[in-house]
Amino acid sequence: MSRLPVILDTDDLPLAELHAARIDGDLIAIGRGFAPFDAHDERSLRARSLAPVALSSGRLIVDRLSAAWVHGACAEPSTVTLCRRVDQRSTALVTSEASVREVILADDDAVVLGGVTVTTAPRTAFDLCLDGGVSDSIAVAALVGLRRNELIDIDDIDDALIAYDRLPHKKRGRRRLGAARTLVAAQPSLTR
C-alpha cells in the first residue's frame, strides 16, 4: 500500500478533488499544494510545498520573501523567490511563478528543510534588507517577523551589512533594519 505524499498537488489528485477535500476539511491549502488538515504548519512543510517550483528548475534555493514565509515571518508571496549559486549555473527554464537571481552563498547560508534548500533566517534577513524588488514596509514586516520568531538578531544583521565596504543598497538595508529595530523596541514581547 503506497502512502500519499505529505504535500499533495495536481500530480497526485485533480485540482477539483483537492479543493473539494479542502472544503470538506480534510486538507488545508499550504504554499503551492495541500496538506492533511492535522499537519503542523511548520518550516519543513512550508518548504516542501514549494518543491514543485524550486526543484523543477535545477539546484534552486528558496530565498528572500519566500524564505521569510518558510521561516514563518510573513504571508506567502505571490511569486516564489529563488536563487541559484553563481558557481552552479544551469540552463534550466523557470516558470512565470518564480523570480530567480544568481548569488554567492556561503555553505552555512542555506539549510535543507523538507527536502528543499532554503536560505537561513540570518541570510534571508540580510537579503531582505537589500532587496529592491520589495517595498520597505513588506521587508521591515518580514524582518520583524524573523525577530519575533527569535530567528535573527537585528544587531548581528546590521554588523554584517556594516562589514562590507562597497555593498549596493547598504543605506536602504540599514534604514530597513533601523525601522525594524524601532518596531521591535515598541513591542516589549519582541525583545530578548
Side-chain angles (χ1 to χ4, degrees):
M1 178 179 202
S2 67
R3 295 186 66 178
L4 288 173
V6 174
I7 298 291
L8 300 169
D9 61 24
T10 55
D11 289 340
D12 304 303
L13 294 169
L15 187 59
E17 287 186 37
L18 291 167
H19 280 291
R22 182 187 54 78
I23 291 168
D24 289 343
D26 296 327
L27 296 177
I28 57 170
I30 184 164
R32 299 295 191 260
F34 297 83
F37 77 94
D38 58 350
H40 296 287
D41 187 17
E42 56 188 33
R43 293 184 319 155
S44 61
L45 189 62
R46 287 189 293 270
R48 184 175 290 215
S49 75
L50 299 177
V53 178
L55 301 179
S56 67
S57 302
R59 298 181 202 153
L60 297 178
I61 300 162
V62 177
D63 75 342
R64 295 171 285 161
L65 275 181
S66 292
W69 173 71
V70 166
H71 292 300
C74 65
E76 180 188 10
S78 58
T79 301
V80 179
T81 53
L82 304 165
C83 65
R84 175 188 344 263
R85 292 178 191 264
V86 172
D87 60 345
Q88 295 179 344
R89 290 187 180 197
S90 169
T91 57
L93 297 174
V94 179
T95 66
S96 61
E97 57 183 347
S99 165
V100 181
R101 67 192 182 122
E102 288 188 340
V103 297
I104 297 172
L105 287 177
D107 289 338
D108 61 352
D109 280 343
V111 62
V112 176
L113 299 169
V116 176
T117 306
V118 180
T119 55
T120 62
R123 177 57 195 237
T124 298
F126 184 88
D127 291 342
L128 286 172
C129 286
L130 306 173
D131 189 357
V134 64
S135 71
D136 286 347
S137 61
I138 291 173
V140 169
L143 291 167
V144 170
L146 288 167
R147 176 63 197 98
R148 180 191 63 235
N149 293 344
E150 298 184 357
L151 297 172
I152 65 165
D153 181 306
I154 291 176
D155 292 334
D156 290 346
I157 305 304
D158 198 24
D159 290 345
L161 289 173
I162 291 169
Y164 287 91
D165 289 332
R166 294 186 183 119
L167 181 65
H169 313 295
K170 184 176 184 174
K171 286 182 183 178
R172 173 193 303 151
R174 299 212 54 224
R175 184 181 68 244
R176 287 177 174 180
L177 277 177
R181 183 180 285 115
T182 299
L183 288 171
V184 167
Q187 300 173 25
S189 64
L190 295 181
T191 58
R192 278 193 161 158

